[in-house]
Amino acid sequence: MADNKTTITDLKKIVDSFVNERDWKKFHSPKNLAMAISVEASELMELFQWLNLKQAKNVMKSGEIREEALDEIADIFIYVLAFCNTNEIDISEALINKMKKNEKKYPSDQFNGHF
């Protein structure tokens, strides 16, 4: 599976199947899944905690920290998809709507190259 060949629906089904096979839906409340997303995001941040910008970029080129980062980003995405499954969220629609809001909030002619 590759990004250019896999749909969000495919990924949501993979996560849903995994959850169903383990009877975990009873644990998948919005609160629990939101907390799990936060925990996994914190684990990703921890990998870079004491690194400067150059070191952080270097460790993402190859090696153990890169592999750990890939696992953490996957964990985050799995929980995001589980959150969407549980709460009947169309993530594509949510993302597009949010990007429209961002375009209004941060017009490119005013925010080009700075915050």
Side-chain angles (χ1 to χ4, degrees), residues 42-83:
S42 294
E43 290 177 3
L44 178 62
M45 289 188 306
E46 185 179 29
L47 298 174
F48 303 99
Q49 185 173 8
W50 304 112
L51 304 180
N52 63 37
L53 184 58
K54 184 177 180 181
Q55 291 168 325
K57 287 181 178 183
N58 279 338
V59 299
M60 284 307 298
K61 291 178 182 172
S62 65
E64 184 178 339
I65 292 178
R66 178 179 171 80
E67 291 304 314
E68 290 177 30
L70 294 175
D71 284 346
E72 297 306 338
I73 203 72
D75 285 341
I76 294 163
F77 196 42
I78 289 164
Y79 281 124
V80 167
L81 293 175
F83 189 94

Side-chain angles (χ1 to χ4, degrees), residues 6 14 23 80 89 102:
T6 308
I14 291 167
D23 192 26
V80 167
I89 295 170
N102 286 343

Side-chain angles (χ1 to χ4, degrees), residues 5-16:
K5 295 181 182 178
T6 308
T7 68
I8 297 288
T9 300
D10 294 335
L11 297 174
K12 287 174 83 172
K13 286 179 181 177
I14 291 167
V15 170
D16 198 47

